[in-house]
């Protein structure tokens, strides 16, 4: 069942999935890489402070042997010796401790970054289940970790054995020389062995870091169904969103038809487009579009305009340009001011002629820049 589920996880993880995993403390980590950096930093700090560390070590050694008869019978010798030895030990190991601490803090930045998760600190009783623990040990990941540990042991052990075998003659020769020279040679060999150990561990850590990154990405992969479910949770159900858009459109259309009787003129195509304009020179800087529609909605706008005796002017280019450039309850663009002004002037003249019983004026034929027609040039 687990293998079948693993085969279905073919999709790359989403940002939400990775963020949730990070909040749970699930980030790629390589203990080998962190151990290698800490080892190299500690050995490098100790070797860099070699002469100074040697002098501190000598002082610690002398504190247990070098004292006079008066100090011996004074009574405070043990406390004085222990305090002095502690200070020397602190000075001896402070550079190493500082270097290893910085390495331990900096190692996570190379893979996954710093991550603090309170959830990772919560006790998990299921971890105490022996059956589940045995299952983890016998899982593919447990087998991989066991194989890595064995290979690492063999690799590092073989390398250190080769180093000691190569230096065996020099080590045997130290017994025939001076004590100081023998100690120095032994410490130098120990330093080289530690550096070799750290370098090899760094090599293994780099390989392990790549594997951990790959394994983390593999474990975070998602199924197609999980992606769909997450999309619904994040963006909402598509069916529900479509229903909401439909209701919003119906409400907007209802408000538009309620505002339509306030229009001064309806500019038509004459059959496909209808745009209702309103202008109040005391409250508006420019005419506004209060309703617009195409095909069936345009027919409805023309029908309502006829019921309320709102003038309708046939100006196909202007109607298409207004529909393409201006949203409802927005002012017409400056590029259409002249054309709209011609239509409004015609409406005012038409009303004046009707009030006086005179002949109606000639309808205008406003010119419009073809670039303003957008997708409605034809």
């Amino acid at each position: 069942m687990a293998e079948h589920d693993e085969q279905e996880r073919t999709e790359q993880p989403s940002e939400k999935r990775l963020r949730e995993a990070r909040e749970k403390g699930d980030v790629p980590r390589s203990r080998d890489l962190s151990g290698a950096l800490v080892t190299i930093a500690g050995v490098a700090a100790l070797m860099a402070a070699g002469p100074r560390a040697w002098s501190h070590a000598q002082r610690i050694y002398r504190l247990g042997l070098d004292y006079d008869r008066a100090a011996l019978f004074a009574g405070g010798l043990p406390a004085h010796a222990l305090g002095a030895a502690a200070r020397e030990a602190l000075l001896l190991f402070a550079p190493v401790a500082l270097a290893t601490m910085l390495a331990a803090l900096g190692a996570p930045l190379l893979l996954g970054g710093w991550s603090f998760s309170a959830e990772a600190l919560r006790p998990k009783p299921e971890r105490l289940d022996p059956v589940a623990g045995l299952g983890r040990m016998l899982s593919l990941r447990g087998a991989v970790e066991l194989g890595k540990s064995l290979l690492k042991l063999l690799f590092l052990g073989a390398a250190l054995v080769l180093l000691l075998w190569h230096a065996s003659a020099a080590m045997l020769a130290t017994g025939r020389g001076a004590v100081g020279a023998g100690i120095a040679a032994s410490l130098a060999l120990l330093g080289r062995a530690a550096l070799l150990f750290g370098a090899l561990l760094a090599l293994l850590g780099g390989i392990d870091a790549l594997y951990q990154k790959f394994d983390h990405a593999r474990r975070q992969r998602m199924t197609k169904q999980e992606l769909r479910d997450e999309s619904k949770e994040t963006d909402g159900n598509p069916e529900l969103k479509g229903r909401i858009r439909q209701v919003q459109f119906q409400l907007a259309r209802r408000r538009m038809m309620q505002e339509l009787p306030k229009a001064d003129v309806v500019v038509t195509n004459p059959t496909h487009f209808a745009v209702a304009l309103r202008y109040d020179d005391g409250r508006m800087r420019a005419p506004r579009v209060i309703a617009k529609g195409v095909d069936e909605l345009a027919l409805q706008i023309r029908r309502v305009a006829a019921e309320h005796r709102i003038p309708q002017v046939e100006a196909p280019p202007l109607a298409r340009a207004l529909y393409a450039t201006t949203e409802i309850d927005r002012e017409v663009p400056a590029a259409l001011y002249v054309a709209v002004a011609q239509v409004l002037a015609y409406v005012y003249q038409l009303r004046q002629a009707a009030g006086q019983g005179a002949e109606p004026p000639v309808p205008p034929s406003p010119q419009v820049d073809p670039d303003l027609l957008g997708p409605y040039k034809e």
Side-chain angles (χ1 to χ4, degrees), residues 178-191:
V179 175
I183 294 176
S186 300
L187 292 176
L189 177 61
L190 182 61

Side-chain angles (χ1 to χ4, degrees), residues 170-246:
M171 288 300 299
L172 292 175
T174 57
R176 297 189 295 269
V179 175
I183 294 176
S186 300
L187 292 176
L189 177 61
L190 182 61
R192 290 198 302 272
L195 284 179
L196 177 63
F197 177 80
L200 294 177
L201 195 60
L203 176 62
L204 295 176
I207 298 174
D208 182 63
L210 295 177
Y211 170 75
Q212 294 296 338
K213 191 172 182 180
F214 163 78
D215 184 61
H216 179 265
R218 178 186 60 81
R219 289 186 287 104
Q220 298 303 321
R221 284 202 298 257
M222 306 172 67
T223 64
K224 295 182 183 296
Q225 184 61 41
E226 286 175 337
L227 279 177
R228 287 192 290 267
D229 293 342
E230 184 179 291
S231 178
K232 289 180 181 180
E233 292 176 2
T234 305
D235 302 329
N237 192 312
E239 297 178 358
L240 180 60
K241 291 175 63 178
R243 177 60 181 166
I244 292 174
R245 284 194 298 266
Q246 183 180 1

Side-chain angles (χ1 to χ4, degrees), residues 108-349:
L109 297 178
L110 300 178
L111 189 68
W114 285 332
S115 175
F116 177 79
S117 173
E119 185 172 347
L121 300 177
R122 295 177 182 173
K124 297 180 179 179
E126 62 271 15
R127 291 286 185 179
L128 301 177
D129 185 358
V131 177
L134 183 61
R136 287 193 298 269
M137 292 176 60
L138 299 179
S139 64
L140 176 61
R141 190 175 184 185
V144 170
E145 293 296 328
L146 178 61
K148 282 167 45 184
S149 299
L150 293 176
L151 288 176
K152 182 169 58 176
L153 178 62
L154 292 175
F155 186 64
L156 294 176
L160 293 177
V161 167
L162 287 176
L163 175 64
L164 293 176
W165 178 78
H166 182 269
S168 59
M171 288 300 299
L172 292 175
T174 57
R176 297 189 295 269
V179 175
I183 294 176
S186 300
L187 292 176
L189 177 61
L190 182 61
R192 290 198 302 272
L195 284 179
L196 177 63
F197 177 80
L200 294 177
L201 195 60
L203 176 62
L204 295 176
I207 298 174
D208 182 63
L210 295 177
Y211 170 75
Q212 294 296 338
K213 191 172 182 180
F214 163 78
D215 184 61
H216 179 265
R218 178 186 60 81
R219 289 186 287 104
Q220 298 303 321
R221 284 202 298 257
M222 306 172 67
T223 64
K224 295 182 183 296
Q225 184 61 41
E226 286 175 337
L227 279 177
R228 287 192 290 267
D229 293 342
E230 184 179 291
S231 178
K232 289 180 181 180
E233 292 176 2
T234 305
D235 302 329
N237 192 312
E239 297 178 358
L240 180 60
K241 291 175 63 178
R243 177 60 181 166
I244 292 174
R245 284 194 298 266
Q246 183 180 1
V247 172
Q248 290 175 341
F249 174 76
Q250 291 175 352
L251 292 175
R253 182 171 176 173
R254 188 178 304 168
R255 287 194 300 268
M256 181 183 72
M257 300 308 293
Q258 291 174 351
E259 292 292 321
L260 182 56
K262 301 178 183 179
D264 294 315
V265 62
V266 174
V267 183
T268 65
N269 194 36
T271 56
H272 294 293
F273 294 86
V275 181
L277 298 174
R278 183 169 183 265
Y279 179 57
D280 183 351
D281 57 356
R283 300 173 58 187
M284 301 179 183
R285 297 181 305 174
R288 287 178 175 268
V289 172
I290 62 172
K292 68 175 185 177
V294 63
D295 295 333
E296 182 181 349
L297 184 57
L299 178 61
Q300 187 176 356
I301 291 174
R302 291 196 301 271
R303 186 181 299 122
V304 174
E307 293 174 358
H308 291 82
R309 297 182 179 181
I310 299 173
Q312 301 182 42
V313 178
E314 293 186 9
L318 178 59
R320 296 199 299 270
L322 287 170
Y323 188 89
T325 60
T326 312
E327 297 297 329
I328 296 175
D329 201 30
R330 293 290 187 270
E331 295 180 353
V332 300
L336 295 176
Y337 278 179
V338 175
V340 172
Q342 293 176 12
V343 172
L344 290 176
Y346 166 73
V347 171
Y348 298 151
Q349 293 171 7

